[in-house]
Amino acid sequence: MRIILLGAPGAGKGTVAKVLTKLDGAVQISTGDILRGAVQADTELGKKANAFMKAGDLVPDDLIMDIMKDRLQEPDCKKGFLLDGFPRTIPQAEALKTLLGDLGIELDMAASLEVPREEILNRLSTRRTCENSTCQAIYNVKSSPTKVDGICDKCGSKVIQREDETEEAITHRLETYCEKTAPLIGYYEKEGLLMTVDACVTDDVVKAIQARLKT
Ligand code: AMP
């Protein structure tokens, strides 16, 4: 499968992507995870991206496209991919279209995960993330806590609240989403690729995507 997962921060794109990767070997590509890894490793990319991310702003399109041009040509993408958090602007979507055209790859769909704002705010303020950049497992203090308080079940590293998940940064990220990313819903509708799905329950999203893939 070759799918774009659209949706506000906290809509569950990463969680849905992780379930879908288990179905047919498609790989999850999260630009947020790649960037956080680069910040932790203090690479040139990480240095450039850090301030934008901390403030809850988008990282410039050219940096993101440099990452994605390389990433989409890696061998593990041959079985398919789930784009989680990319594209996030119309210029990124247009550049992706050109890139996929050059690579001879067709998308199956852009699934827009819809969750009410109240639920998003609730999810983001209670979300915790494994600080290990190669793991980045996601937990929720209320709905899916770690077995041992503050320790990742998968790799044993510390589980933290992300710097961009303070109330102020969350509010700003949601504003950025409405202004810069939500227009992608109309973009993919025009492209004939849009599927909108109520994303309050992960299983429902997975089933809806599977059903659409069969049509
Ligand atoms: P995420 O984990 O997807 O919420 O991303 C965390 C942060 O990384 C965002 O708030 C942005 O600062 C940056 N980021 C991730 N993906 C993109 C993208 N496609 N375009 C621009 N910035 C991005």
Side-chain angles (χ1 to χ4, degrees):
M1 61 182 102
R2 293 180 177 84
I3 297 177
I4 294 173
L5 294 167
L6 292 175
K13 301 182 294 296
T15 308
V16 167
K18 284 193 174 67
V19 178
L20 290 172
T21 54
K22 294 194 185 117
L23 300 180
D24 74 351
V27 67
Q28 174 189 9
I29 304 178
S30 156
T31 38
D33 283 354
I34 294 171
L35 291 166
R36 276 185 292 279
V39 170
Q40 245 189 37
D42 202 24
T43 63
E44 276 310 303
L45 170 66
K47 284 188 187 116
K48 286 181 191 157
N50 195 13
F52 295 103
M53 295 175 74
K54 265 194 189 160
D57 284 326
L58 292 182
V59 172
D61 291 334
D62 53 344
L63 283 183
I64 299 291
M65 288 319 300
D66 285 349
I67 299 173
M68 290 307 294
K69 267 180 206 148
D70 292 342
R71 185 64 189 90
L72 283 170
Q73 294 182 68
E74 282 178 26
D76 63 348
C77 291
K78 291 230 157 64
K79 282 191 183 163
F81 48 76
L82 298 143
L83 302 184
D84 158 14
F86 169 85
R88 248 178 158 108
T89 63
I90 296 281
Q92 288 181 21
E94 282 168 347
L96 174 66
K97 188 177 173 182
T98 307
L99 176 61
L100 293 179
D102 291 347
L103 298 174
I105 295 171
E106 261 185 54
L107 288 171
D108 294 310
M109 75 182 90
S112 174
L113 278 50
E114 311 279 323
V115 178
R117 189 183 164 88
E118 275 309 297
E119 173 66 11
I120 295 268
L121 290 171
N122 184 28
R123 283 185 190 181
L124 287 179
S125 57
T126 51
R127 181 153 88 173
R128 299 291 181 271
T129 307
C130 173
E131 70 169 1
N132 172 359
S133 61
T134 57
C135 178
Q136 300 199 36
I138 292 171
Y139 299 91
N140 185 289
V141 288
K142 288 190 191 153
S143 58
S144 57
T146 51
K147 289 188 188 120
V148 179
D149 194 25
I151 301 295
C152 177
D153 296 350
K154 295 192 179 120
C155 75
S157 301
K158 230 166 79 184
V159 166
I160 53 158
Q161 180 163 31
R162 278 168 39 182
E163 267 183 282
D164 62 355
E165 283 176 358
T166 59
E167 208 178 311
E168 202 187 341
I170 290 171
T171 307
H172 186 52
R173 281 166 71 202
L174 290 175
E175 281 165 10
T176 306
Y177 171 78
C178 289
E179 188 192 329
K180 306 255 174 68
T181 309
L184 292 181
I185 296 173
Y187 176 90
Y188 285 111
E189 189 168 25
K190 277 198 202 120
E191 294 282 309
L193 287 168
L194 185 71
M195 182 186 92
T196 305
V197 57
D198 176 338
C200 287
V201 179
T202 303
D203 277 357
D204 293 349
V205 182
V206 172
K207 280 184 200 142
I209 289 177
Q210 284 180 295
R212 164 92 178 224
L213 284 171
K214 283 184 193 141
T215 59

